[in-house]
mmCIF file of all heavy atoms in Angstrom:
data_model
loop_
_atom_site.group_PDB
_atom_site.id
_atom_site.type_symbol
_atom_site.label_atom_id
_atom_site.label_comp_id
_atom_site.label_asym_id
_atom_site.label_seq_id
_atom_site.Cartn_x
_atom_site.Cartn_y
_atom_site.Cartn_z
ATOM 1 N N SER A 127 -7.053 20.939 -19.692
ATOM 2 C CA SER A 127 -6.534 20.096 -18.583
ATOM 3 C C SER A 127 -7.409 18.883 -18.530
ATOM 4 O O SER A 127 -8.493 18.779 -17.921
ATOM 5 C CB SER A 127 -6.724 20.953 -17.272
ATOM 6 O OG SER A 127 -6.370 20.177 -16.189
ATOM 7 N N ASN A 128 -6.888 17.820 -19.188
ATOM 8 C CA ASN A 128 -7.476 16.522 -19.254
ATOM 9 C C ASN A 128 -7.543 15.786 -17.999
ATOM 10 O O ASN A 128 -6.589 16.018 -17.120
ATOM 11 C CB ASN A 128 -6.941 15.598 -20.349
ATOM 12 C CG ASN A 128 -7.127 16.104 -21.683
ATOM 13 O OD1 ASN A 128 -8.223 16.502 -22.067
ATOM 14 N ND2 ASN A 128 -6.167 15.965 -22.590
ATOM 15 N N PHE A 129 -8.378 14.860 -17.780
ATOM 16 C CA PHE A 129 -8.260 13.913 -16.713
ATOM 17 C C PHE A 129 -7.459 12.755 -17.232
ATOM 18 O O PHE A 129 -7.458 12.440 -18.402
ATOM 19 C CB PHE A 129 -9.679 13.413 -16.226
ATOM 20 C CG PHE A 129 -10.478 14.315 -15.465
ATOM 21 C CD1 PHE A 129 -11.570 14.902 -15.995
ATOM 22 C CD2 PHE A 129 -10.080 14.599 -14.137
ATOM 23 C CE1 PHE A 129 -12.361 15.865 -15.194
ATOM 24 C CE2 PHE A 129 -10.870 15.504 -13.369
ATOM 25 C CZ PHE A 129 -12.014 16.046 -13.827
ATOM 26 N N TYR A 130 -6.707 12.059 -16.333
ATOM 27 C CA TYR A 130 -6.061 10.846 -16.700
ATOM 28 C C TYR A 130 -6.665 9.684 -15.852
ATOM 29 O O TYR A 130 -7.002 9.901 -14.726
ATOM 30 C CB TYR A 130 -4.549 10.963 -16.371
ATOM 31 C CG TYR A 130 -3.946 12.121 -17.207
ATOM 32 C CD1 TYR A 130 -3.790 13.353 -16.726
ATOM 33 C CD2 TYR A 130 -3.554 11.886 -18.614
ATOM 34 C CE1 TYR A 130 -3.242 14.361 -17.413
ATOM 35 C CE2 TYR A 130 -2.995 12.901 -19.345
ATOM 36 C CZ TYR A 130 -2.829 14.197 -18.730
ATOM 37 O OH TYR A 130 -2.358 15.193 -19.435
ATOM 38 N N ARG A 131 -6.664 8.494 -16.481
ATOM 39 C CA ARG A 131 -7.017 7.371 -15.834
ATOM 40 C C ARG A 131 -6.277 6.136 -16.239
ATOM 41 O O ARG A 131 -5.669 6.170 -17.302
ATOM 42 C CB ARG A 131 -8.600 7.100 -15.901
ATOM 43 C CG ARG A 131 -8.933 6.698 -17.334
ATOM 44 C CD ARG A 131 -10.499 6.342 -17.374
ATOM 45 N NE ARG A 131 -10.856 6.059 -18.714
ATOM 46 C CZ ARG A 131 -11.922 6.202 -19.266
ATOM 47 N NH1 ARG A 131 -12.948 6.716 -18.593
ATOM 48 N NH2 ARG A 131 -12.235 5.909 -20.500
ATOM 49 N N LEU A 132 -6.293 5.150 -15.434
ATOM 50 C CA LEU A 132 -5.516 3.890 -15.792
ATOM 51 C C LEU A 132 -6.208 3.140 -16.988
ATOM 52 O O LEU A 132 -7.478 3.068 -16.983
ATOM 53 C CB LEU A 132 -5.492 2.939 -14.591
ATOM 54 C CG LEU A 132 -4.713 3.456 -13.307
ATOM 55 C CD1 LEU A 132 -4.868 2.452 -12.244
ATOM 56 C CD2 LEU A 132 -3.331 3.715 -13.624
ATOM 57 N N SER A 133 -5.440 2.623 -17.801
ATOM 58 C CA SER A 133 -5.860 1.668 -18.807
ATOM 59 C C SER A 133 -6.194 0.374 -18.118
ATOM 60 O O SER A 133 -5.715 0.086 -16.952
ATOM 61 C CB SER A 133 -4.923 1.369 -19.960
ATOM 62 O OG SER A 133 -3.740 0.703 -19.316
ATOM 63 N N ASP A 134 -6.984 -0.541 -18.718
ATOM 64 C CA ASP A 134 -7.230 -1.781 -18.005
ATOM 65 C C ASP A 134 -5.973 -2.577 -17.705
ATOM 66 O O ASP A 134 -5.820 -3.223 -16.718
ATOM 67 C CB ASP A 134 -8.208 -2.654 -18.941
ATOM 68 C CG ASP A 134 -9.577 -2.078 -19.007
ATOM 69 O OD1 ASP A 134 -9.963 -1.323 -18.130
ATOM 70 O OD2 ASP A 134 -10.313 -2.488 -19.998
ATOM 71 N N GLU A 135 -5.037 -2.556 -18.670
ATOM 72 C CA GLU A 135 -3.780 -3.258 -18.486
ATOM 73 C C GLU A 135 -3.074 -2.632 -17.269
ATOM 74 O O GLU A 135 -2.515 -3.388 -16.419
ATOM 75 C CB GLU A 135 -2.854 -3.068 -19.730
ATOM 76 C CG GLU A 135 -1.499 -3.571 -19.534
ATOM 77 C CD GLU A 135 -0.493 -3.324 -20.655
ATOM 78 O OE1 GLU A 135 -0.897 -2.460 -21.547
ATOM 79 O OE2 GLU A 135 0.660 -3.740 -20.697
ATOM 80 N N ALA A 136 -2.932 -1.303 -17.161
ATOM 81 C CA ALA A 136 -2.217 -0.714 -16.043
ATOM 82 C C ALA A 136 -2.935 -1.022 -14.758
ATOM 83 O O ALA A 136 -2.258 -1.152 -13.667
ATOM 84 C CB ALA A 136 -2.190 0.843 -16.262
ATOM 85 N N ARG A 137 -4.230 -1.008 -14.765
ATOM 86 C CA ARG A 137 -4.987 -1.289 -13.513
ATOM 87 C C ARG A 137 -4.610 -2.727 -13.040
ATOM 88 O O ARG A 137 -4.414 -2.978 -11.826
ATOM 89 C CB ARG A 137 -6.551 -1.196 -13.754
ATOM 90 C CG ARG A 137 -7.373 -1.420 -12.572
ATOM 91 C CD ARG A 137 -8.878 -1.202 -12.832
ATOM 92 N NE ARG A 137 -9.118 0.109 -13.378
ATOM 93 C CZ ARG A 137 -9.047 1.360 -12.723
ATOM 94 N NH1 ARG A 137 -8.872 1.260 -11.400
ATOM 95 N NH2 ARG A 137 -9.342 2.433 -13.252
ATOM 96 N N ALA A 138 -4.564 -3.678 -13.972
ATOM 97 C CA ALA A 138 -4.156 -5.082 -13.644
ATOM 98 C C ALA A 138 -2.767 -5.128 -13.060
ATOM 99 O O ALA A 138 -2.436 -5.832 -12.068
ATOM 100 C CB ALA A 138 -4.331 -6.025 -14.764
ATOM 101 N N ILE A 139 -1.857 -4.381 -13.685
ATOM 102 C CA ILE A 139 -0.400 -4.448 -13.272
ATOM 103 C C ILE A 139 -0.276 -3.785 -11.880
ATOM 104 O O ILE A 139 0.382 -4.394 -11.047
ATOM 105 C CB ILE A 139 0.456 -3.607 -14.306
ATOM 106 C CG1 ILE A 139 0.550 -4.445 -15.594
ATOM 107 C CG2 ILE A 139 1.834 -3.341 -13.760
ATOM 108 C CD1 ILE A 139 1.153 -3.649 -16.752
ATOM 109 N N ILE A 140 -0.824 -2.564 -11.680
ATOM 110 C CA ILE A 140 -0.664 -1.953 -10.338
ATOM 111 C C ILE A 140 -1.445 -2.767 -9.218
ATOM 112 O O ILE A 140 -0.979 -2.851 -8.108
ATOM 113 C CB ILE A 140 -1.109 -0.469 -10.320
ATOM 114 C CG1 ILE A 140 -0.612 0.207 -9.016
ATOM 115 C CG2 ILE A 140 -2.545 -0.239 -10.571
ATOM 116 C CD1 ILE A 140 0.911 0.263 -8.777
ATOM 117 N N ALA A 141 -2.535 -3.351 -9.628
ATOM 118 C CA ALA A 141 -3.245 -4.222 -8.613
ATOM 119 C C ALA A 141 -2.389 -5.412 -8.186
ATOM 120 O O ALA A 141 -2.333 -5.794 -7.024
ATOM 121 C CB ALA A 141 -4.595 -4.749 -9.212
ATOM 122 N N ALA A 142 -1.710 -6.038 -9.173
ATOM 123 C CA ALA A 142 -0.860 -7.168 -8.874
ATOM 124 C C ALA A 142 0.358 -6.784 -7.988
ATOM 125 O O ALA A 142 0.739 -7.353 -7.079
ATOM 126 C CB ALA A 142 -0.378 -7.834 -10.104
ATOM 127 N N ILE A 143 0.967 -5.499 -8.338
ATOM 128 C CA ILE A 143 2.011 -5.041 -7.592
ATOM 129 C C ILE A 143 1.624 -4.757 -6.146
ATOM 130 O O ILE A 143 2.290 -5.110 -5.192
ATOM 131 C CB ILE A 143 2.606 -3.773 -8.230
ATOM 132 C CG1 ILE A 143 3.321 -4.064 -9.546
ATOM 133 C CG2 ILE A 143 3.532 -3.098 -7.300
ATOM 134 C CD1 ILE A 143 3.619 -2.937 -10.398
ATOM 135 N N ARG A 144 0.447 -4.119 -6.004
ATOM 136 C CA ARG A 144 0.011 -3.743 -4.685
ATOM 137 C C ARG A 144 -0.421 -4.995 -3.865
ATOM 138 O O ARG A 144 -0.117 -5.022 -2.602
ATOM 139 C CB ARG A 144 -1.245 -2.793 -4.739
ATOM 140 C CG ARG A 144 -0.975 -1.525 -5.320
ATOM 141 C CD ARG A 144 -0.630 -0.518 -4.209
ATOM 142 N NE ARG A 144 -1.689 -0.341 -3.240
ATOM 143 C CZ ARG A 144 -1.549 -0.298 -1.936
ATOM 144 N NH1 ARG A 144 -0.384 -0.420 -1.447
ATOM 145 N NH2 ARG A 144 -2.578 -0.291 -1.221
ATOM 146 N N THR A 145 -0.870 -5.963 -4.483
ATOM 147 C CA THR A 145 -1.256 -7.301 -3.810
ATOM 148 C C THR A 145 -0.025 -7.905 -3.256
ATOM 149 O O THR A 145 0.010 -8.345 -1.993
ATOM 150 C CB THR A 145 -2.097 -8.174 -4.665
ATOM 151 O OG1 THR A 145 -3.215 -7.597 -5.087
ATOM 152 C CG2 THR A 145 -2.329 -9.515 -4.107
ATOM 153 N N ARG A 146 1.001 -7.903 -4.039
ATOM 154 C CA ARG A 146 2.279 -8.574 -3.509
ATOM 155 C C ARG A 146 2.858 -7.688 -2.438
ATOM 156 O O ARG A 146 3.306 -8.262 -1.374
ATOM 157 C CB ARG A 146 3.291 -8.723 -4.720
ATOM 158 C CG ARG A 146 4.632 -9.346 -4.340
ATOM 159 C CD ARG A 146 5.626 -9.197 -5.317
ATOM 160 N NE ARG A 146 5.784 -7.916 -6.046
ATOM 161 C CZ ARG A 146 6.238 -6.832 -5.433
ATOM 162 N NH1 ARG A 146 6.732 -6.843 -4.210
ATOM 163 N NH2 ARG A 146 6.320 -5.699 -6.193
ATOM 164 N N GLU A 147 2.882 -6.389 -2.611
ATOM 165 C CA GLU A 147 3.536 -5.501 -1.524
ATOM 166 C C GLU A 147 2.735 -5.649 -0.242
ATOM 167 O O GLU A 147 3.288 -5.722 0.782
ATOM 168 C CB GLU A 147 3.522 -4.121 -2.060
ATOM 169 C CG GLU A 147 4.510 -3.762 -3.188
ATOM 170 C CD GLU A 147 4.323 -2.410 -3.729
ATOM 171 O OE1 GLU A 147 3.236 -1.733 -3.606
ATOM 172 O OE2 GLU A 147 5.210 -2.028 -4.427
ATOM 173 N N MET A 148 1.357 -5.617 -0.368
ATOM 174 C CA MET A 148 0.638 -5.675 0.930
ATOM 175 C C MET A 148 0.755 -7.036 1.609
ATOM 176 O O MET A 148 0.764 -7.029 2.854
ATOM 177 C CB MET A 148 -0.895 -5.339 0.586
ATOM 178 C CG MET A 148 -1.117 -3.936 0.154
ATOM 179 S SD MET A 148 -0.481 -2.673 1.192
ATOM 180 C CE MET A 148 -1.517 -2.870 2.612
ATOM 181 N N ARG A 149 0.917 -8.114 0.885
ATOM 182 C CA ARG A 149 1.208 -9.467 1.556
ATOM 183 C C ARG A 149 2.542 -9.382 2.215
ATOM 184 O O ARG A 149 2.524 -9.841 3.399
ATOM 185 C CB ARG A 149 1.231 -10.453 0.382
ATOM 186 C CG ARG A 149 1.242 -11.905 0.862
ATOM 187 C CD ARG A 149 1.103 -12.945 -0.295
ATOM 188 N NE ARG A 149 1.925 -12.696 -1.468
ATOM 189 C CZ ARG A 149 1.363 -12.411 -2.636
ATOM 190 N NH1 ARG A 149 0.044 -12.305 -2.863
ATOM 191 N NH2 ARG A 149 2.211 -12.122 -3.706
ATOM 192 N N GLU A 150 3.564 -8.707 1.612
ATOM 193 C CA GLU A 150 4.905 -8.615 2.311
ATOM 194 C C GLU A 150 4.721 -7.746 3.629
ATOM 195 O O GLU A 150 5.315 -8.053 4.602
ATOM 196 C CB GLU A 150 5.861 -8.091 1.302
ATOM 197 C CG GLU A 150 6.280 -9.186 0.328
ATOM 198 C CD GLU A 150 7.277 -8.595 -0.729
ATOM 199 O OE1 GLU A 150 7.889 -7.529 -0.490
ATOM 200 O OE2 GLU A 150 7.507 -9.223 -1.751
ATOM 201 N N ILE A 151 4.050 -6.686 3.391
ATOM 202 C CA ILE A 151 3.902 -5.735 4.517
ATOM 203 C C ILE A 151 3.127 -6.385 5.663
ATOM 204 O O ILE A 151 3.475 -6.109 6.831
ATOM 205 C CB ILE A 151 3.328 -4.362 4.106
ATOM 206 C CG1 ILE A 151 4.267 -3.630 3.244
ATOM 207 C CG2 ILE A 151 2.841 -3.488 5.281
ATOM 208 C CD1 ILE A 151 3.805 -2.427 2.547
ATOM 209 N N ALA A 152 2.112 -7.151 5.300
ATOM 210 C CA ALA A 152 1.283 -7.746 6.379
ATOM 211 C C ALA A 152 2.101 -8.799 7.145
ATOM 212 O O ALA A 152 2.052 -8.868 8.401
ATOM 213 C CB ALA A 152 0.088 -8.511 5.759
ATOM 214 N N GLU A 153 3.084 -9.484 6.434
ATOM 215 C CA GLU A 153 3.952 -10.409 7.107
ATOM 216 C C GLU A 153 4.932 -9.606 8.023
ATOM 217 O O GLU A 153 5.090 -10.063 9.116
ATOM 218 C CB GLU A 153 4.679 -11.204 6.039
ATOM 219 C CG GLU A 153 5.562 -12.377 6.643
ATOM 220 C CD GLU A 153 4.754 -13.395 7.374
ATOM 221 O OE1 GLU A 153 3.580 -13.684 6.951
ATOM 222 O OE2 GLU A 153 5.206 -13.932 8.307
ATOM 223 N N PHE A 154 5.493 -8.510 7.548
ATOM 224 C CA PHE A 154 6.428 -7.695 8.289
ATOM 225 C C PHE A 154 5.747 -7.112 9.537
ATOM 226 O O PHE A 154 6.302 -7.060 10.637
ATOM 227 C CB PHE A 154 6.944 -6.482 7.342
ATOM 228 C CG PHE A 154 7.857 -5.566 8.048
ATOM 229 C CD1 PHE A 154 9.183 -5.876 8.331
ATOM 230 C CD2 PHE A 154 7.388 -4.285 8.451
ATOM 231 C CE1 PHE A 154 10.045 -5.024 8.975
ATOM 232 C CE2 PHE A 154 8.198 -3.406 9.110
ATOM 233 C CZ PHE A 154 9.527 -3.774 9.382
ATOM 234 N N ALA A 155 4.531 -6.742 9.358
ATOM 235 C CA ALA A 155 3.739 -6.119 10.485
ATOM 236 C C ALA A 155 3.453 -7.042 11.651
ATOM 237 O O ALA A 155 3.263 -6.643 12.771
ATOM 238 C CB ALA A 155 2.416 -5.586 9.915
ATOM 239 N N LYS A 156 3.570 -8.295 11.494
ATOM 240 C CA LYS A 156 3.472 -9.381 12.468
ATOM 241 C C LYS A 156 4.524 -9.127 13.631
ATOM 242 O O LYS A 156 4.222 -9.599 14.727
ATOM 243 C CB LYS A 156 3.540 -10.717 11.939
ATOM 244 C CG LYS A 156 2.287 -11.143 11.185
ATOM 245 C CD LYS A 156 2.499 -12.606 10.619
ATOM 246 C CE LYS A 156 1.336 -12.998 9.699
ATOM 247 N NZ LYS A 156 1.532 -14.306 9.165
ATOM 248 N N GLY A 157 5.548 -8.409 13.301
ATOM 249 C CA GLY A 157 6.600 -8.236 14.410
ATOM 250 C C GLY A 157 6.313 -6.986 15.263
ATOM 251 O O GLY A 157 7.133 -6.673 16.123
ATOM 252 N N PHE A 158 5.171 -6.330 15.082
ATOM 253 C CA PHE A 158 4.844 -5.212 15.844
ATOM 254 C C PHE A 158 3.430 -5.181 16.433
ATOM 255 O O PHE A 158 2.598 -5.889 15.859
ATOM 256 C CB PHE A 158 4.990 -3.972 14.975
ATOM 257 C CG PHE A 158 6.349 -3.739 14.329
ATOM 258 C CD1 PHE A 158 6.610 -4.287 13.076
ATOM 259 C CD2 PHE A 158 7.399 -3.178 15.073
ATOM 260 C CE1 PHE A 158 7.903 -4.208 12.519
ATOM 261 C CE2 PHE A 158 8.634 -3.076 14.469
ATOM 262 C CZ PHE A 158 8.871 -3.627 13.263
ATOM 263 N N THR A 159 3.303 -4.556 17.509
ATOM 264 C CA THR A 159 1.857 -4.494 18.072
ATOM 265 C C THR A 159 1.042 -3.376 17.310
ATOM 266 O O THR A 159 1.656 -2.575 16.587
ATOM 267 C CB THR A 159 1.894 -4.041 19.552
ATOM 268 O OG1 THR A 159 2.412 -2.694 19.625
ATOM 269 C CG2 THR A 159 2.767 -4.969 20.408
ATOM 270 N N GLU A 160 -0.218 -3.440 17.462
ATOM 271 C CA GLU A 160 -1.130 -2.414 16.799
ATOM 272 C C GLU A 160 -0.732 -1.083 17.374
ATOM 273 O O GLU A 160 -0.651 -0.127 16.497
ATOM 274 C CB GLU A 160 -2.554 -2.765 17.242
ATOM 275 C CG GLU A 160 -3.492 -1.832 16.471
ATOM 276 C CD GLU A 160 -4.969 -2.147 16.772
ATOM 277 O OE1 GLU A 160 -5.280 -3.320 17.036
ATOM 278 O OE2 GLU A 160 -5.817 -1.222 16.763
ATOM 279 N N ALA A 161 -0.421 -0.941 18.681
ATOM 280 C CA ALA A 161 -0.103 0.353 19.127
ATOM 281 C C ALA A 161 1.207 0.914 18.528
ATOM 282 O O ALA A 161 1.379 2.162 18.271
ATOM 283 C CB ALA A 161 0.111 0.338 20.663
ATOM 284 N N GLU A 162 2.182 0.046 18.350
ATOM 285 C CA GLU A 162 3.477 0.424 17.721
ATOM 286 C C GLU A 162 3.263 0.940 16.273
ATOM 287 O O GLU A 162 3.801 2.011 15.906
ATOM 288 C CB GLU A 162 4.477 -0.667 17.752
ATOM 289 C CG GLU A 162 5.037 -1.055 19.127
ATOM 290 C CD GLU A 162 5.881 -2.316 19.072
ATOM 291 O OE1 GLU A 162 5.534 -3.310 18.377
ATOM 292 O OE2 GLU A 162 6.823 -2.365 19.964
ATOM 293 N N ILE A 163 2.411 0.233 15.492
ATOM 294 C CA ILE A 163 2.191 0.627 14.163
ATOM 295 C C ILE A 163 1.319 1.909 14.137
ATOM 296 O O ILE A 163 1.618 2.832 13.376
ATOM 297 C CB ILE A 163 1.424 -0.489 13.398
ATOM 298 C CG1 ILE A 163 2.408 -1.698 13.203
ATOM 299 C CG2 ILE A 163 0.889 -0.027 12.082
ATOM 300 C CD1 ILE A 163 1.703 -2.855 12.608
ATOM 301 N N ARG A 164 0.401 2.128 15.016
ATOM 302 C CA ARG A 164 -0.359 3.345 15.126
ATOM 303 C C ARG A 164 0.581 4.512 15.456
ATOM 304 O O ARG A 164 0.481 5.680 14.907
ATOM 305 C CB ARG A 164 -1.493 3.230 16.102
ATOM 306 C CG ARG A 164 -2.591 2.406 15.514
ATOM 307 C CD ARG A 164 -3.839 2.436 16.453
ATOM 308 N NE ARG A 164 -4.813 1.464 16.030
ATOM 309 C CZ ARG A 164 -5.603 1.543 14.963
ATOM 310 N NH1 ARG A 164 -5.503 2.625 14.187
ATOM 311 N NH2 ARG A 164 -6.502 0.624 14.735
ATOM 312 N N GLY A 165 1.440 4.288 16.401
ATOM 313 C CA GLY A 165 2.536 5.248 16.859
ATOM 314 C C GLY A 165 3.399 5.671 15.628
ATOM 315 O O GLY A 165 3.733 6.773 15.453
ATOM 316 N N PHE A 166 3.880 4.628 14.989
ATOM 317 C CA PHE A 166 4.784 4.880 13.761
ATOM 318 C C PHE A 166 4.087 5.743 12.767
ATOM 319 O O PHE A 166 4.609 6.757 12.284
ATOM 320 C CB PHE A 166 5.110 3.520 13.165
ATOM 321 C CG PHE A 166 5.753 3.582 11.787
ATOM 322 C CD1 PHE A 166 7.045 3.902 11.676
ATOM 323 C CD2 PHE A 166 4.991 3.313 10.715
ATOM 324 C CE1 PHE A 166 7.697 3.989 10.358
ATOM 325 C CE2 PHE A 166 5.546 3.348 9.373
ATOM 326 C CZ PHE A 166 6.899 3.672 9.344
ATOM 327 N N TYR A 167 2.823 5.424 12.487
ATOM 328 C CA TYR A 167 1.979 6.194 11.511
ATOM 329 C C TYR A 167 1.855 7.617 11.990
ATOM 330 O O TYR A 167 2.012 8.560 11.300
ATOM 331 C CB TYR A 167 0.651 5.513 11.278
ATOM 332 C CG TYR A 167 -0.205 6.412 10.318
ATOM 333 C CD1 TYR A 167 -0.005 6.210 8.954
ATOM 334 C CD2 TYR A 167 -1.215 7.177 10.761
ATOM 335 C CE1 TYR A 167 -0.814 6.973 8.082
ATOM 336 C CE2 TYR A 167 -2.011 7.929 9.948
ATOM 337 C CZ TYR A 167 -1.785 7.776 8.571
ATOM 338 O OH TYR A 167 -2.511 8.548 7.759
ATOM 339 N N LYS A 168 1.487 7.761 13.273
ATOM 340 C CA LYS A 168 1.272 9.124 13.822
ATOM 341 C C LYS A 168 2.546 9.931 13.842
ATOM 342 O O LYS A 168 2.477 11.221 13.374
ATOM 343 C CB LYS A 168 0.771 8.975 15.306
ATOM 344 C CG LYS A 168 0.524 10.317 15.933
ATOM 345 C CD LYS A 168 0.051 10.195 17.398
ATOM 346 C CE LYS A 168 -0.110 11.557 18.050
ATOM 347 N NZ LYS A 168 -0.539 11.424 19.425
ATOM 348 N N ILE A 169 3.645 9.383 14.117
ATOM 349 C CA ILE A 169 4.895 10.140 14.131
ATOM 350 C C ILE A 169 5.293 10.527 12.664
ATOM 351 O O ILE A 169 5.667 11.742 12.461
ATOM 352 C CB ILE A 169 5.989 9.426 14.803
ATOM 353 C CG1 ILE A 169 5.845 9.393 16.329
ATOM 354 C CG2 ILE A 169 7.410 9.953 14.466
ATOM 355 C CD1 ILE A 169 6.741 8.503 17.096
ATOM 356 N N LEU A 170 5.215 9.621 11.748
ATOM 357 C CA LEU A 170 5.562 9.982 10.328
ATOM 358 C C LEU A 170 4.586 10.964 9.727
ATOM 359 O O LEU A 170 5.065 11.905 9.009
ATOM 360 C CB LEU A 170 5.648 8.677 9.468
ATOM 361 C CG LEU A 170 6.878 7.796 9.692
ATOM 362 C CD1 LEU A 170 6.775 6.644 8.698
ATOM 363 C CD2 LEU A 170 8.096 8.560 9.577
ATOM 364 N N SER A 171 3.374 10.834 10.058
ATOM 365 C CA SER A 171 2.386 11.778 9.502
ATOM 366 C C SER A 171 2.682 13.179 10.046
ATOM 367 O O SER A 171 2.615 14.157 9.337
ATOM 368 C CB SER A 171 0.973 11.375 9.886
ATOM 369 O OG SER A 171 0.627 10.143 9.325
#
């Protein structure tokens, strides 16, 4: 049972993907209050 880890190339690719996604989510989140987002998270969890 080996361990798996990201190659340097994959780390750069997923970091770029996540950076773009988080930028979009941060913009989307501006339409909600902190309490609404916390409630959303609580209900989905």
Side-chain angles (χ1 to χ4, degrees):
S127 179
N128 290 321
F129 284 113
Y130 299 97
R131 70 176 176 208
L132 297 175
S133 67
D134 290 340
E135 174 191 5
R137 185 174 304 283
I139 289 170
I140 192 63
I143 290 167
R144 291 272 300 135
T145 297
R146 182 191 42 74
E147 290 173 345
M148 293 308 289
R149 191 173 44 246
E150 290 177 12
I151 290 170
E153 189 62 33
F154 177 75
K156 290 178 182 178
F158 302 95
T159 66
E160 183 178 332
E162 288 170 328
I163 292 171
R164 289 188 190 284
F166 168 79
Y167 178 80
K168 180 180 179 181
I169 289 171
L170 284 184
S171 298

